[in-house]
Amino acid sequence: MPRASVIGVGMTPFGVHEATLPELFAEAAFPAFDDAGISAGEIDALYFGNAMGGQTENDTHLAPTLTSHVGLAGVPAQRFEDACATSSNAFKHAVEAVEAGLHDTVLVGGVERCTPETGLGTGAMTRIFASASHRQYEQPSGLTFPGVFALLTKRHMYEHGTTDEQLAHVAVKNHANGTLNPRAHFGRDVTTDDVLDSPTVADPFHLFDCCPFSDGAAAAIVTSADTGASFDGDGVAVTGIGHATDVVPLADKTHPSTTQAARDAAAEAYEQADTDGTVMDLAEVHDCFTGAEVMASEALGLVETGDGGPAAAEGRTSLEGEIPINPSGGLKAKGHPIGATGVAQIVELTEHLRGEANDRQVDDATKGVAHNLGGDAATTVVTVMEAGT
Amino acid sequence: MSETEEVERSSDDGDGDDRLTYREWAAALREGTLLGQECSKCGHVTAAPKAACAQCGDREISTTKLDTEGEVHSVTTIAVPPERFEGDYQVALVDLGAGRVLARIDGGRETVEIGDRVQFTNAMEADGHPAPVFEPTEG
């Protein structure tokens, strides 16, 4: 039983943008309106994600600013912040609102700028990202976000034998997919040698194991499952959304490399949709770092636990493989404007399930799963979508 | 692994109970003592004091002195540090028998690996907040 229907999507290219946050948001929202075939007057609310605008651009209380900018002034508008899982949480609440009958049709979206267009360099942005780790018990050690995922991945390598080369294959695959995505921040191939020879950021991660700082926006129009078919936009069903948290800080997680929140969120989403990871046709997962994709592929049940590295190296997760992971290029190649990433995953699933993903289309895709992770793997939102309303 | 021990300490923070505060934890750390909490219900030990047990939610949590020696659970060398830090340095999750702590490792890159024995030495300071520092155990 669908919980809601996505009837329109839009997103900017991810990369470097001079445009302001409201301007960028409009570049995603208007294509979503047009895709759905609706006007601003038919939208009842905004569910919006932006993680760090206060720190990066001295810009807060953005939800009503954006509604005013795109012609929705007056509607209830709310902003969500859950680190990198920011806009999937906005999406969850949008789905719940239309499912419960609070609103008929809503706009959900996210926007963020993370590149030097903000006026901030790598050190300053690394410090701002690190604000999502524990202020008292983690930040004083000099832990960074590459460092958080490095700690998880090093333990995964120790426990399962995952290798540097297998991690590099994740980057090679996602860069290859990115060459097929005109909206990707990186549109060029890399080799495993390119990855392994690039400078170390936090071992085992080299520069090419890490997603870039990106600017961008993504938007979707969500309506109830009952009314989805009455719009021009080709509807895609949302059949499950799971949302779980794990203990903060990292040291207190029972078994850090398990990424328990992802497993709990996946179990919840799959139960709602009466499905499981083995029958997904594609997945968009939160590959902020190559090791994060390996752990996500296992937590979602797309591959067996411990098999994420070999699966990537053997091509099982490539576009032509058994279970294509990150056909968009993922955060790694498509880019990662923090607050836009969750909804951008929904955009990608929607296009595949409509058969509109062009050169990177996963053939005959009918079921897809999105995995959006926030902070030190403490928040994860997992969404299952299926073709048709 | 040694037993954690009850620690006597003042409770002058004015909050009406004797729960370990961050201020007290930080002061002890600066003086060379690594404090934590133990849940009286489920026995969970944390090196990051909270208002309730992170595993079972119980509010009966007592202050304990943590082991000063442990084993590296995971470790990374940070080569691209945040503003106000100088790389390269190692950050590790250290298993203390009961409880696990995030710590800086004294020394540069690749000083320790997973499974190595390490011991608590002192505290470092960043932005007015202390972090525990460990070093490889001799022998």
Side-chain angles (χ1 to χ4, degrees):
Chain A
M1 175 64 189
R3 297 187 57 187
S5 180
V6 172
I7 54 168
V9 292
M11 64 182 278
T12 67
F14 284 179
V16 179
H17 287 283
E18 284 183 5
T20 66
L21 292 175
E23 288 167 351
L24 264 182
F25 185 72
E27 288 179 34
F30 287 166
F33 292 6
D34 297 343
D35 184 32
I38 65 172
S39 61
E42 295 172 89
I43 293 171
D44 302 321
L46 169 66
Y47 290 80
F48 165 70
N50 172 263
M52 309 182 306
Q55 293 155 281
T56 54
E57 310 206 43
N58 198 37
D59 206 350
T60 60
H61 201 215
L62 275 161
T65 302
L66 298 182
T67 52
S68 300
H69 191 75
V70 300
L72 300 178
V75 303
Q78 44 266 302
R79 174 231 175 157
F80 293 81
E81 185 275 306
D82 273 291
C84 302
T86 284
S87 62
S88 61
N89 199 9
F91 181 74
K92 178 191 100 163
H93 284 81
V95 167
E96 289 175 344
V98 299
E99 180 182 44
L102 297 174
H103 300 298
D104 294 329
T105 302
V106 304
L107 171 64
V108 54
V111 65
E112 198 93 45
R113 295 204 310 171
C114 305
T115 73
E117 287 292 326
T118 56
L120 302 173
T122 299
M125 197 56 77
T126 300
R127 173 176 161 80
I128 290 171
F129 283 3
S131 73
S133 61
H134 200 292
R135 181 68 191 95
Q136 285 77 38
Y137 305 122
E138 293 183 324
Q139 290 179 40
S141 70
L143 185 65
T144 61
F145 259 88
V148 166
F149 284 88
L151 288 170
L152 297 174
T153 301
K154 284 279 286 284
R155 188 68 195 181
H156 190 277
M157 297 167 88
Y158 179 79
E159 291 170 350
H160 300 294
T162 309
T163 66
D164 290 314
E165 288 75 15
Q166 290 166 351
L167 297 177
H169 276 284
V170 173
V172 170
K173 167 183 71 72
N174 290 351
H175 271 264
N177 292 349
T179 66
L180 305 176
N181 184 354
R183 295 180 302 223
H185 192 156
F186 294 140
R188 67 184 179 88
D189 280 310
V190 298
T191 65
T192 52
D193 283 346
D194 291 336
V195 178
L196 295 171
D197 293 342
S198 63
T200 298
V201 172
D203 80 301
F205 298 141
H206 302 266
L207 184 61
F208 282 127
D209 285 289
C210 306
C211 69
F213 296 142
S214 309
D215 308 326
I221 307 292
V222 180
T223 193
S224 70
D226 294 339
T227 56
S230 64
F231 292 88
D232 292 346
D234 192 5
V236 172
V238 180
T239 50
I241 301 182
H243 177 189
T245 61
D246 199 351
V247 180
V248 175
L250 203 53
D252 281 336
K253 289 177 171 58
T254 303
H255 189 234
S257 71
T258 297
T259 62
Q260 191 60 44
R263 289 169 193 264
D264 293 345
E268 185 186 4
Y270 290 150
E271 184 180 358
Q272 288 168 19
D274 191 23
T275 189
D276 65 60
T278 63
V279 298
M280 292 297 121
D281 297 313
L282 76 155
E284 281 286 307
V285 311
H286 198 87
D287 59 327
C288 45
F289 305 94
T290 51
E293 175 169 317
V294 168
M295 289 182 280
S297 65
E298 298 173 6
L300 293 176
L302 306 173
V303 302
E304 296 288 322
T305 292
D307 203 28
E314 292 161 10
R316 284 186 266 147
T317 58
S318 70
L319 208 45
E320 302 77 25
E322 296 158 25
I323 172 63
I325 296 181
N326 284 325
S328 69
L331 284 59
K332 176 75 226 16
K334 180 183 58 184
H336 184 28
I338 310 297
T341 286
V343 171
Q345 293 178 330
I346 301 302
V347 173
E348 184 73 13
L349 289 189
T350 298
E351 293 187 347
H352 282 275
L353 296 171
R354 286 170 163 179
E356 294 176 353
N358 299 320
D359 292 345
R360 62 186 191 286
Q361 176 68 43
V362 173
D363 292 339
D364 305 318
T366 61
K367 288 177 194 265
V369 60
H371 158 282
N372 189 203
L373 176 156
D376 65 346
T379 290
T380 309
V381 180
V382 173
T383 303
V384 177
M385 298 181 72
E386 300 183 39
T389 50
Chain B
M1 165 173 19
S2 66
E3 294 292 310
T4 55
E5 61 183 281
E6 287 285 334
V7 177
E8 272 193 53
R9 50 176 197 83
S10 64
S11 55
D12 58 356
D13 53 45
D15 64 358
D17 60 40
D18 61 355
R19 185 185 305 133
L20 180 65
T21 65
Y22 171 69
R23 185 189 180 91
E24 293 162 343
W25 178 89
L29 175 56
R30 288 184 174 115
E31 288 164 14
T33 303
L34 195 51
L35 294 182
Q37 291 171 321
E38 180 170 4
C39 176
S40 63
K41 188 174 172 194
C42 76
H44 173 64
V45 174
T46 179
K50 300 175 187 66
C53 175
Q55 290 297 330
C56 76
D58 202 79
R59 283 189 275 175
E60 291 287 320
I61 42 181
S62 57
T63 301
T64 67
K65 195 186 274 188
L66 298 174
D67 282 1
T68 55
E69 201 179 313
E71 183 177 303
V72 175
H73 178 85
S74 194
V75 60
T76 182
T77 297
I78 307 248
V80 180
E83 219 171 33
R84 306 180 198 179
F85 288 85
E86 294 286 327
D88 300 354
Y89 52 82
Q90 284 194 309
V91 175
L93 292 169
V94 179
D95 283 326
L96 298 173
R100 189 188 295 134
V101 67
L102 183 85
R104 176 70 75 89
I105 301 296
D106 192 26
R109 58 190 308 144
E110 292 165 24
T111 301
V112 299
E113 296 177 352
I114 292 175
D116 284 358
R117 299 292 300 175
V118 289
Q119 61 193 17
F120 173 63
T121 59
N122 56 17
M124 60 173 280
E125 289 285 329
D127 273 353
H129 295 274
V133 179
F134 280 64
E135 65 180 9
T137 302
E138 294 300 324

